[in-house]
Amino acid sequence: MTAPKLRLPVETQRLIIRELAEDDLEALYAWRRHPAYRRHLPMPRQTRAAVEAELNAILRDQADYQRLRWLLGVVEQKTGRLLGEAILKLAPATRHRQAEIGWAVAEDAKNRGYGTEIGRALLEAGFGQLKLHRVFAMCSTENCASRRVMEKLGMREEGLFREHFRARERWWSSHIYAMLEGEHRKRQGRSA
Ligand SMILES: CC(C)(COP(=O)(O)OP(=O)(O)OC[C@H]1O[C@@H](n2cnc3c(N)ncnc32)[C@H](O)[C@@H]1OP(=O)(O)O)[C@@H](O)C(=O)NCCC(=O)NCCS
């Protein structure tokens, strides 16, 4: 089974979600380097070299015929500013029609509903364009903002992974939330 393809850009009321480009490095690095970015993410320090290497890998991925991973830039329509990122990762066995989604926004763009707007667009693209059956998201137990985004999106809590990940010399626990295609359809019907 060939992997489904995501058509981009995706436009929302205030945002444009698009492929990242080489000259997005400085904007991406600007929020990745902020201590708040990875406070609740089990990832190593985001040096400029690490962000550049990741961006280069993303640019290579874009040409992959069997692409399973979209790490995308989020632009504010009003200003044209790249202020966040959106991720959608398909499960490698595409017959299961499952994907994980995620989001991040620059520190000075938080709490304006952008995280939720990104999440909603990813759910719509996942169920609409990619015909997925289940879309899930995970966040560390301390990541109250991300958990709140999942709740606002109407995703259902499925459980808690206790100390399932080790990074930065400690154990990390995560909440998992998901939405099924039927649940998404029902929500669409309600908002139509
Ligand atoms: C998670 C993240 C993307 C949310 O983005 P955002 O644009 O601020 O999200 P929204 O404005 O749509 O919603 C945030 C909600 O969390 C709430 N919130 C924010 N900080 C909170 C905290 N410390 N405790 C409880 N709730 C909090 C806000 O009040 C808001 O809820 P409300 O609309 O009911 O008031 C952003 O915090 C971020 O980029 N964090 C760093 C990267 C990250 O952790 N990504 C998630 C990986 S799982």
Side-chain angles (χ1 to χ4, degrees), residues 98-116:
Q98 313 264 324
E100 179 175 4
I101 55 172
W103 34 73
V105 298
E107 188 57 20
D108 63 348
K110 284 181 179 171
N111 297 317
R112 286 197 252 150
Y114 285 153
T116 309

Side-chain angles (χ1 to χ4, degrees), residues 21-135:
E22 212 176 328
D23 57 7
D24 289 329
L25 176 61
E26 293 315 320
L28 185 61
Y29 179 51
W31 71 76
R32 288 280 190 102
R33 72 193 296 197
H34 195 289
Y37 170 76
R38 67 180 198 117
R39 186 165 297 139
H40 303 303
L41 297 176
M43 51 166 58
R45 199 161 70 81
Q46 298 286 287
T47 61
R48 193 176 192 287
V51 176
E52 188 170 16
E54 188 181 347
L55 180 59
N56 287 336
I58 292 162
L59 299 179
R60 280 195 303 275
D61 266 9
Q62 290 172 357
D64 187 350
Y65 171 67
Q66 286 287 36
R67 187 173 181 188
L68 294 176
R69 186 181 126 100
W70 287 265
L71 177 51
L72 303 166
V74 177
V75 175
E76 187 180 43
Q77 291 195 24
K78 197 169 61 180
T79 59
R81 174 187 172 205
L82 185 80
L83 52 64
E85 57 196 279
I87 186 156
L88 188 148
K89 277 189 284 182
L90 287 178
T94 51
R95 71 178 183 283
H96 298 306
R97 297 191 285 133
Q98 313 264 324
E100 179 175 4
I101 55 172
W103 34 73
V105 298
E107 188 57 20
D108 63 348
K110 284 181 179 171
N111 297 317
R112 286 197 252 150
Y114 285 153
T116 309
E117 199 162 320
I118 296 167
R120 195 173 302 118
L122 289 172
L123 288 172
E124 272 165 27
F127 291 117
Q129 287 196 43
L130 302 179
K131 309 288 177 224
L132 295 174
H133 177 65
R134 175 175 167 273
V135 177

